[in-house]
Amino acid sequence: GDIVQAGQTLARLDDRDLKLEKLKWETERQKLVHKQREAFAKHDRPNILATSAQIGQAEAQLKLTLEKLHRTEIASPIDGVIVTGDLSQMLGAPVTQGKVLFEIAPLNSYRLLLQVDERDIGHVRVGQTGTLLLTGAPARGLQLTVTKLTSAAAARPARTLIRGQPSLAQSGPPLRPGMEGLAKIDAGRRSLLWIWTRPLIERLRMLVWTWTP
């Protein structure tokens, strides 16, 4: 839930082992450079070539260690809000490579998911406008425009919900990931008789089709 700025430090990993490894490769490189100088003084060409290769290897290992040290400080790549990453219970615990420590959501762009009953999805079109009323901020509605309809469906008890992706058309109350509410989409005008009788008519049509050979 914390709001962070781009470049802000979120956590630091224990780097004592990496600092020791850095010191090891710096010492190894210095030894090889000294050995190479002695080979130059003796005009020992085979040793010169061998130490040059070893110095290159030590410098590569040192560069890799420095890169790992740089990564021990975890900074936010964007301005946003931390969605997940409460690591207070993990202090001192080992961290494996590839483990997700933080998830950050941007504050200047949002994607809303509308759950539409499958009986009504046929009346929803891209470009239609509507209003979103958030449960956490019911005093002001947000204008939205449907920009995409997906074919993905989520199974829910007694019905299937199909998702739409609207985009906000104006700024409003502060939004946070996971907020929920109710949305209304302007799907055109219909008579009250059509609105009241449509569910019954559609159910009768399904029933007739089911029993028709």
Side-chain angles (χ1 to χ4, degrees):
D2 290 349
I3 297 177
V4 295
Q5 306 296 324
Q8 180 177 341
T9 300
L10 304 179
R12 288 187 177 89
L13 302 179
D14 188 355
D15 58 359
R16 287 175 293 182
D17 291 342
L18 289 175
K19 287 181 177 179
L20 290 176
E21 187 175 351
K22 171 177 172 290
L23 180 60
K24 167 191 170 183
W25 289 114
E26 286 177 342
T27 304
E28 182 68 17
R29 181 181 179 278
Q30 290 176 358
K31 289 181 179 179
L32 291 172
V33 169
H34 180 70
K35 184 177 180 180
Q36 187 185 53
R37 288 174 180 173
E38 290 181 347
F40 271 114
K42 296 178 181 179
H43 302 285
D44 189 349
R45 184 174 178 82
N47 275 335
I48 293 175
L49 296 177
T51 52
S52 294
Q54 292 173 346
I55 290 174
Q57 182 181 3
E59 289 179 343
Q61 292 292 340
L62 179 60
K63 183 178 180 181
L64 178 61
T65 304
L66 291 174
E67 181 65 23
K68 289 181 179 179
L69 274 171
H70 177 70
R71 294 179 181 179
T72 57
E73 182 172 314
I74 302 172
S76 174
I78 59 172
D79 296 338
V81 57
I82 298 179
V83 181
T84 60
D86 185 7
L87 307 179
S88 58
Q89 304 300 321
M90 293 183 57
L91 294 178
V95 177
T96 58
Q97 186 173 357
K99 180 179 178 60
V100 177
L101 300 180
F102 297 95
E103 290 184 1
I104 302 174
L107 293 174
N108 55 359
S109 62
Y110 303 92
R111 184 182 68 171
L112 307 178
L113 297 179
L114 295 185
Q115 297 179 335
V116 182
D117 195 296
E118 61 182 359
R119 293 173 297 182
D120 299 324
I121 194 64
H123 302 283
V124 180
R125 299 286 186 274
V126 173
Q128 289 176 340
T129 58
T131 305
L132 170 68
L133 198 63
L134 296 171
T135 305
R140 181 181 177 186
L142 297 175
Q143 300 300 313
L144 57 90
T145 302
V146 177
T147 59
K148 183 178 181 182
L149 295 176
T150 69
S151 58
R156 296 294 177 88
R159 62 176 180 170
T160 300
L161 300 178
I162 301 177
R163 299 173 181 176
Q165 297 178 331
S167 61
L168 293 177
Q170 64 181 33
S171 60
L175 300 182
R176 294 292 182 270
M179 295 183 73
E180 297 182 353
L182 295 175
K184 292 182 178 180
I185 298 175
D186 185 3
R189 299 179 64 87
R190 301 290 190 278
S191 67
L192 289 177
L193 180 62
W194 184 89
I195 294 174
W196 292 336
T197 59
R198 181 177 67 92
L200 178 60
I201 293 175
E202 290 180 350
R203 185 172 299 181
L204 288 175
R205 285 177 177 172
M206 291 293 295
L207 183 61
V208 172
W209 183 87
T210 302
W211 288 100
T212 301

